[in-house]
Amino acid sequence: AEKKGSAEVLRGNSKTKIAVFYSPAGGCGTSTLALCSAAACAREGMKTLYLNLEEMDSASGLFPGTPGSLSDLFLTLKTKGMNVGIKLAASAGADPESGVYGLNGVESILEYEEIGREEMEQLLGAIRGLADFDAVVVDTSSGFGGRQRGLLEGADLVFTPLHEDERSFVKMKQWLKETHFHEAYNEVFSK
């Protein structure tokens, strides 16, 4: 597929569902919930991809034997004419214990500075176009920039865990208040 530049030989029959785990307040167990959800999907017989897109990867080392990394995927996203779906299929590997597919993280967190909303939309579109995974679970950082917005808008489901503390509630209220100021966020908040 990489030599031909076509993902046709890789396409599955699934109707991929993408769930993003996001919280405006960090430290709420978002990564734990995302990983457990991915493992539960795999246990139910779904071909599941877990993508940790946190700048400070809290799941580092979970997929050490994968043939590629997020760095490879990010480079493909920034290179015109390269097929992101093919690169993902070539880079991801399955964890033998859980059956969840994933890939190694980035070589440097500075790579995230080059990836924005457009690249995240392109990545999700490529995952859907590949149609190889039944479920995709995305773990993302607590900031709310273009990258997070692209992921949240492109997701089918958004999970927003919170701690029962005042700081978490203040951050969630602030995030929800944005709906009153910016109609552009309405699609995200409706999820």
Side-chain angles (χ1 to χ4, degrees):
E2 279 188 291
K3 286 179 185 174
K4 290 186 176 194
S6 171
E8 290 305 314
V9 296
L10 301 173
R11 290 196 197 282
N13 296 319
S14 72
K15 293 182 180 180
T16 304
K17 295 292 181 192
I18 298 173
V20 173
F21 282 75
Y22 166 81
S23 180
C28 293
T30 307
S31 296
T32 301
L33 290 169
L35 281 165
C36 289
S37 295
C41 288
R43 258 193 325 273
E44 291 295 317
M46 292 183 247
K47 188 171 180 184
T48 305
L49 174 67
Y50 169 78
L51 284 177
N52 188 304
L53 297 176
E54 300 173 291
E55 285 91 353
M56 299 302 286
D57 184 352
S58 62
S60 180
L62 288 179
F63 300 97
T66 62
S69 68
L70 276 175
S71 292
D72 300 326
L73 205 56
F74 285 179
L75 178 61
T76 303
L77 284 166
K78 297 304 285 183
T79 305
K80 301 267 188 254
M82 291 187 72
N83 189 306
V84 178
I86 292 172
K87 183 52 80 178
L88 176 62
S91 299
D95 171 61
E97 189 175 318
S98 67
V100 174
Y101 286 78
L103 35 137
N104 293 314
V106 293
E107 293 173 17
S108 169
I109 60 172
L110 291 176
E111 293 176 51
Y112 279 99
E113 290 182 12
E114 298 179 18
I115 303 299
R117 179 179 176 189
E118 185 177 303
E119 288 81 15
M120 288 299 102
E121 290 171 350
Q122 182 183 353
L123 175 59
L124 296 183
I127 291 170
R128 287 188 199 284
L130 186 60
D132 191 35
F133 297 100
D134 302 307
V136 177
V137 177
V138 181
D139 187 2
T140 190
S141 297
S142 59
F144 193 67
R147 185 173 44 258
Q148 284 84 357
R149 186 172 164 199
L151 289 168
L152 296 171
E153 287 176 351
D156 296 301
L157 299 166
V158 175
F159 293 95
T160 56
L162 285 177
H163 273 297
E164 290 187 15
D165 63 50
E166 187 60 31
R167 197 170 32 105
S168 291
F169 287 126
V170 166
K171 287 185 176 187
M172 180 58 87
K173 286 177 188 174
Q174 181 181 357
W175 189 55
L176 292 172
K177 190 170 94 175
E178 290 295 313
T179 60
H180 299 292
F181 299 123
H182 307 287
E183 286 184 25
Y185 296 154
N186 287 345
E187 181 182 346
V188 170
F189 292 113
S190 69
K191 295 177 185 181

